[in-house]
């Protein structure tokens, strides 16, 4: 019995030995590739943005600063041997008799446009916030001025305000009002471009402020109504205070955009007549490109003044955003 009982054990041992010898050797572990470094991936994503900023922002800004610090003529602009003059171009700009009126027009144009764009945009946003039947359709129609190219909008306003064939004078004459030389009178040219720019900027304020109204809980209005507050009290005590963060961003962005408005003014009046609607933006263009003998240096200096003003208000915008993020 011992002999018969030991046979399976021997066979099983032989079978295990044979399987061990017949089995192929284990394959070596495959080498795994290391994943790309997160730092290299981050630089890969940042490279296109960095290249874009350098080519289209940093380099033009450097060239503009260089233009304002040298005495460039047409020949030296091509050959690149303009002498260094320091701050002489800025002194010429400050001593120019156009500086005072251009500064005044820039401030008046910017402030009046901001006030009316914000006031009209806020009124329309509150009106459309009531959600009546045609609210969406009318709100979409108010976006048309914002979607049109600026050259189309400015050309349309030039035709409407034309002294002889404009529809504005035609309608005013129908009710017995004398025609106005909107674009050719020094007393009305700045008003004309302000009206056109307000019409173009209202949709932006409407969209931003309307989106801010969507974040205000309706329960606040319901509670105020139960307490007996009328519509004006609900607006002044609830809507306006809660819209302050959105209003600050809207006004700061509008300020930066309005400072550099050039298309509307140049197409409608070209800064005239007699520089009555000249701003820093149009004056910079006139100095650099509007004459047979361009003054590249003073034109660049005026442009840099606009850049500094926009930079100051841009930093204010960033600071307001940081405060909102922390609050």
């Amino acid at each position: 019995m011992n002999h018969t009982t030991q046979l399976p054990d021997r066979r099983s041992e032989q079978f295990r030995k044979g399987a061990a010898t017949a089995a192929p050797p284990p394959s070596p572990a495959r080498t795994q590739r290391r994943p790309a470094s997160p730092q290299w991936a981050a630089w890969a994503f940042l490279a296109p943005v960095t290249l874009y900023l350098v080519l289209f922002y940093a380099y033009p800004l450097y060239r503009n600063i260089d233009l304002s610090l040298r005495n460039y003529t047409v020949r030296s602009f091509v050959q690149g041997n303009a002498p260094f003059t320091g701050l002489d171009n800025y002194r010429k700009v400050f001593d120019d008799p156009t500086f005072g009126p251009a500064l005044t027009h820039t401030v008046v144009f910017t402030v009046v446009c901001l006030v009316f764009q914000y006031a009209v945009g806020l009124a329309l946003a509150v009106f459309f916030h009531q959600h009546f039947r045609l609210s969406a359709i009318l709100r979409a129609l108010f976006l048309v001025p914002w979607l049109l190219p600026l050259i189309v909008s400015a050309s349309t306003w030039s035709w409407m305000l034309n002294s002889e064939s404009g529809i504005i004078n035609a309608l005013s004459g129908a009710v017995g009002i004398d025609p106005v030389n909107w674009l050719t009178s020094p007393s009305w040219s700045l008003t004309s471009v302000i009206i056109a720019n307000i019409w173009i900027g209202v949709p932006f304020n409407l969209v931003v402020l309307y989106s801010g109204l969507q974040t205000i809980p309706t329960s606040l209005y319901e509670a105020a109504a139960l307490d007996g507050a009328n519509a004006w009290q609900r607006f002044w005590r609830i809507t306006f205070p809660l819209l302050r963060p959105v209003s600050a961003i809207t006004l700061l962005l509008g300020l930066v955009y309005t400072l550099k408005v050039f298309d509307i003014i140049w197409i409608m009046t070209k800064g005239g007549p007699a520089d009555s609607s000249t701003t820093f933006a149009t004056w910079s263009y006139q100095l650099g490109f509007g004459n047979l003998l361009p003054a590249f240096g003073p034109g660049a200096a005026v442009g840099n003044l606009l850049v500094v003003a926009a930079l100051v208000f841009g930093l204010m915008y960033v600071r307001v955003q940081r405060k909102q993020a922390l609050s």
Side-chain angles (χ1 to χ4, degrees), residues 43-129:
W43 280 112
F45 280 107
L46 287 176
V49 179
T50 305
L51 184 62
Y52 174 79
L53 292 175
V54 170
L55 290 179
F56 296 100
Y57 285 90
Y59 179 72
L61 182 60
Y62 161 75
R63 288 292 298 159
N64 203 58
I65 296 174
D66 182 69
L67 281 173
S68 66
L69 298 178
R70 297 180 181 274
N71 184 20
Y72 272 97
T73 61
V74 176
R75 176 177 296 180
S76 61
F77 187 82
V78 176
Q79 296 178 351
N81 55 353
F84 182 80
T85 58
L87 300 178
D88 287 347
N89 290 321
Y90 292 92
R91 296 191 188 97
K92 291 179 182 178
V93 167
F94 291 137
D95 294 338
D96 196 299
T98 310
F99 177 80
L103 177 61
T104 304
H105 297 158
T106 303
V107 174
V108 172
F109 179 82
T110 304
V111 173
V112 174
C113 287
L114 278 181
V115 171
F116 279 91
Q117 286 174 356
Y118 177 78
V120 177
L122 179 59
L124 291 174
V126 173
F127 174 72
F128 286 121
H129 189 56

Side-chain angles (χ1 to χ4, degrees), residues 93-94 96 98-99 102 278-288 299 302:
V93 167
F94 291 137
D96 196 299
T98 310
F99 177 80
T278 297
T279 61
F280 276 176
T282 58
W283 189 29
S284 176
Y285 180 83
Q286 287 176 345
L287 289 172
V302 176

